Amino acid sequence: MNTLRASLRTHRVLLLIVLLYAAAATLLAGSLPSPSDILNVLAGFLVAILTGPVFILCGYTIHVMVMKRPHRLCHYLYLDLRRYLSNERLLHALPAMLLIPIFASSFTVFKAAIPRLHPYTWDATLSSWDMALHGGMAPWERLQPLLGHPLVTALLNFSYHFWFFLFYAILYWLILDTRRPLLRMQFLLSFALTWIALGSVLAVLFASVGPCYYGHLHASDPYAPLMAYLHEANQHIPVWALQVQDMLWQGYQSKGVNGELGISAMPSMHVATAVLMAMMGWRVSRAAGTALSIFAVLIMLGSIHLGWHYAVDGYVGAAGAVLVWRLVGRMLGREAAAPVAALAPVPCMSKGGVAS
């Protein structure tokens, strides 16, 4: 019980942020949910809780098989996981594990509500900003000679989808981690604040659908050649992004009848989150920082090449993630230093009030 109380105190800021966000999402949702909606939320809650640990377990199993190669794999995994998942560790992780699915559900509500809060009117402006920043050409056109090959497209497409697996694995690894309390909390708070500030607030203010849907809203479509290339590449190697884009647009057109996950281009949360993971990686090791930075670059390129985002979406996402990460880091640094400062001797003060 003492461990749980200490964990609740540790997560008090995250708890406040997520519950306020969830309350706002509940008000935004409007009417009370139907029984089927409640079942869908519960199912999504369970999936969100299980997804990260499953990914971590799969990755750890592969690591053991390659590096340890025990004679009795299942027995080795059982003993090692039993030793790792102590009661203290699980109680320490419990508040965050319960808050993350609530946060994810709230984010989905906000994203689906974007067109009701603000019509999609920013695409033409964002597209013009892209061209102005890149010498009068759309960024995808400048990248096409380098990226416009089915195998390269497949690599970026895989990386873009692998983002989900990697993010959940890192998220739940940090939730269960007890060795890096400040880094752990910096990532959790930065993740929550980035997704609220960028993925909800800015997404509403700059409501846009992205290059892949540009032709649905405007008669002249400068991204039609890009989408034509992606459909052609899909004939040689599957481009999963196209199926997801079709599913999201059908959900938007059905006004939620066939499911509405929401569409939002500005800013890119894929890029923002990849940058957060990279900054966290550099705090762990040079190898992790390098690998996650390369991954962030692939996500940025994929967001443009696959038609999901304008380049400025990624720039704003990356800059916003860096800003939030640094602000949260300073806040946690001050909190960590406060007890030490309270115990330190009071310095002598000069007449001007400056410590001497």
Side-chain angles (χ1 to χ4, degrees):
M1 187 60 69
N2 290 335
T3 303
L4 183 58
R5 288 198 191 99
S7 181
L8 289 173
R9 285 196 300 271
T10 299
H11 294 88
R12 62 188 182 278
V13 177
L14 182 65
L15 181 67
L16 178 64
I17 291 171
V18 172
L19 292 184
L20 287 175
Y21 188 52
T26 301
L27 293 175
L28 187 60
S31 60
L32 294 174
S34 65
S36 61
D37 290 333
I38 294 175
L39 290 176
N40 289 334
V41 170
L42 290 175
F45 186 88
L46 292 174
V47 168
I49 286 180
L50 294 175
T51 299
V54 167
F55 293 156
I56 295 174
L57 180 59
C58 291
Y60 178 68
T61 301
I62 294 172
H63 168 75
V64 170
M65 291 172 64
V66 174
M67 304 301 294
K68 305 292 184 180
R69 290 179 285 184
H71 294 295
R72 300 169 61 190
L73 176 63
C74 292
H75 183 68
Y76 181 94
L77 291 173
Y78 170 75
L79 293 179
D80 207 37
L81 288 173
R82 185 177 178 181
R83 182 166 52 249
Y84 178 76
L85 297 175
S86 63
N87 289 336
E88 283 195 9
R89 185 184 297 275
L90 291 176
L91 287 174
H92 172 70
L94 184 61
M97 291 187 70
L98 295 178
L99 287 173
I100 292 302
I102 296 173
F103 181 83
S105 301
S106 303
F107 179 79
T108 301
V109 170
F110 270 93
K111 190 172 182 180
I114 289 174
R116 298 199 300 271
L117 297 173
H118 191 297
Y120 291 124
T121 57
W122 273 88
D123 284 272
T125 302
L126 295 174
S127 181
S128 65
W129 287 356
D130 252 13
M131 294 187 182
L133 286 172
H134 299 89
M137 289 181 65
W140 78 264
E141 292 181 286
R142 293 199 174 279
L143 292 171
Q144 193 65 7
L146 175 65
L147 306 180
H149 310 280
L151 289 178
V152 178
T153 300
L155 171 64
L156 295 176
N157 183 64
F158 173 81
S159 299
Y160 213 77
H161 284 73
F162 185 69
W163 175 94
F164 292 95
F165 297 92
L166 183 62
F167 168 63
Y168 268 110
I170 287 177
L171 180 63
Y172 278 86
W173 165 65
L174 283 172
I175 285 175
L176 291 166
D177 184 69
T178 57
R179 295 181 299 167
R180 308 171 183 86
L182 284 178
L183 179 61
R184 172 185 183 273
M185 192 51 62
Q186 185 174 3
F187 185 84
L188 292 178
L189 289 175
S190 297
F191 153 66
L193 291 173
T194 299
W195 281 46
I196 292 172
L198 304 185
S200 293
V201 178
L202 284 188
V204 171
L205 294 177
F206 296 91
S208 50
V209 295
C212 59
Y213 304 122
Y214 194 97
H216 294 297
L217 301 181
H218 299 85
S220 177
D221 183 8
Y223 304 97
L226 171 62
M227 301 311 297
Y229 160 76
L230 292 175
H231 280 90
E232 181 183 353
N234 190 48
Q235 303 300 317
H236 303 281
I237 191 164
V239 181
W240 306 318
L242 295 175
Q243 286 72 41
V244 178
Q245 289 165 0
D246 288 342
M247 178 192 70
L248 291 176
W249 188 255
Q250 289 172 11
Y252 167 65
Q253 286 187 311
S254 71
K255 306 300 180 184
V257 174
N258 298 326
E260 188 176 359
L261 296 176
I263 296 173
S264 176
M266 166 62 87
S268 171
M269 297 313 299
H270 263 72
V271 172
T273 307
V275 170
L276 283 180
M277 292 190 290
M279 289 187 292
M280 181 278 304
W282 283 110
R283 294 276 297 278
V284 173
S285 69
R286 180 178 296 180
T290 301
L292 289 170
S293 295
I294 293 172
F295 183 75
V297 171
L298 290 176
I299 293 300
M300 179 67 196
L301 294 175
S303 71
I304 298 170
H305 180 65
L306 298 172
W308 284 113
H309 292 283
Y310 309 100
V312 290
D313 299 342
Y315 301 157
V316 172
V322 171
L323 177 62
V324 171
W325 176 265
R326 291 182 175 176
L327 290 175
V328 171
R330 289 181 182 179
M331 180 194 74
L332 293 175
R334 286 196 296 269
E335 285 187 1
V340 178
L343 295 175
V346 178
C348 297
M349 304 299 292
S350 66
K351 290 183 180 179
V354 180
S356 59

